[in-house]
Amino acid sequence: MTPDQPAPTVYVIDDDASLRASLADLLDSVSLHTRVFASVQDFLTAPRGEGPACLILDVRMPGQSGTDFHQQMERLGVRLPVIFITGHGDIAMGVKAIKDGAVDFLTKPFRDQDLLDAVQVALERDRQRLAQAVSTSSLQDRWRSLTPGEREVVRLVVRGQLNKQIAAELDVKEITVKVRRAKSMKKMGAASLTDLVRMTDELTALEG
């Protein structure tokens, strides 16, 4: 974590008050900020920070179960890595949770170190997600900074067309194509045609 990054947060949802307190103490012992909730609804109505985070989620709770919530998280805009804990799990349930994207599935009683290891993996996964989101936003901003004419040139350049061919297709002078191409490369931060192709591929994937 760099000085300008928010500290990571571990969210815990479990209806067992004693377990919530125990997990908070464990995570606090390794200097991890922890917020605990007795139910999914309590978690959803609470504000969340912008830094890297993960969610420790009990499988079975009164009201909405942890597994049901996990299935709905994407639709609800909750994109946190999940670590399941349960006293009633089985192999099939654990396999399904992992296939659905959970970081780990721990059966109570579990070793403290196993949970701490899973939390570190989950937080690193979320750091990467946040970094990718920043990178994607920056790329979209750079693309929006291009003029319509520059975008036309980029689209034809990445298809492999030469400046002369692009000039003919757009009905402009070749020098105009060269100028737009150079400006586009600079605005996009592309050091080479390969960079530009990669960027446009990423933008196309985001649109699709």
Side-chain angles (χ1 to χ4, degrees), residues 49-106:
E50 297 180 355
C54 69
L55 177 60
I56 298 175
L57 185 58
D58 192 11
V59 169
R60 294 184 180 177
M61 294 178 288
Q64 186 174 34
S65 71
T67 50
D68 286 345
F69 177 53
H70 190 223
Q71 296 292 327
Q72 299 171 13
M73 283 174 60
E74 184 70 24
R75 178 176 60 81
L76 294 170
V78 182
R79 297 178 176 84
L80 298 178
V82 169
I83 300 162
F84 276 113
I85 56 175
T86 181
H88 311 281
D90 55 38
I91 293 176
M93 187 183 293
V95 169
K96 186 178 187 308
I98 298 300
K99 285 185 175 180
D100 288 343
V103 173
D104 211 335
F105 188 92
L106 301 176

Side-chain angles (χ1 to χ4, degrees), residues 88-142:
H88 311 281
D90 55 38
I91 293 176
M93 187 183 293
V95 169
K96 186 178 187 308
I98 298 300
K99 285 185 175 180
D100 288 343
V103 173
D104 211 335
F105 188 92
L106 301 176
T107 303
K108 305 171 187 175
F110 45 78
R111 293 194 317 127
D112 289 351
Q113 192 58 51
D114 288 341
L115 179 65
L116 294 175
D117 289 346
V119 165
Q120 291 303 329
V121 170
L123 290 175
E124 180 55 32
R125 183 182 293 185
D126 203 46
R127 286 188 188 97
Q128 293 175 8
R129 178 187 67 83
L130 292 172
Q132 181 59 47
V134 170
S135 176
T136 297
S137 178
S138 174
L139 176 60
Q140 291 172 320
D141 287 343
R142 296 198 302 274

Side-chain angles (χ1 to χ4, degrees), residues 1-10 31-33 49-53 123 127:
M1 182 179 67
T2 58
D4 58 340
Q5 287 181 321
T9 301
V10 181
S31 302
L32 284 171
H33 176 58
E50 297 180 355
L123 290 175
R127 286 188 188 97

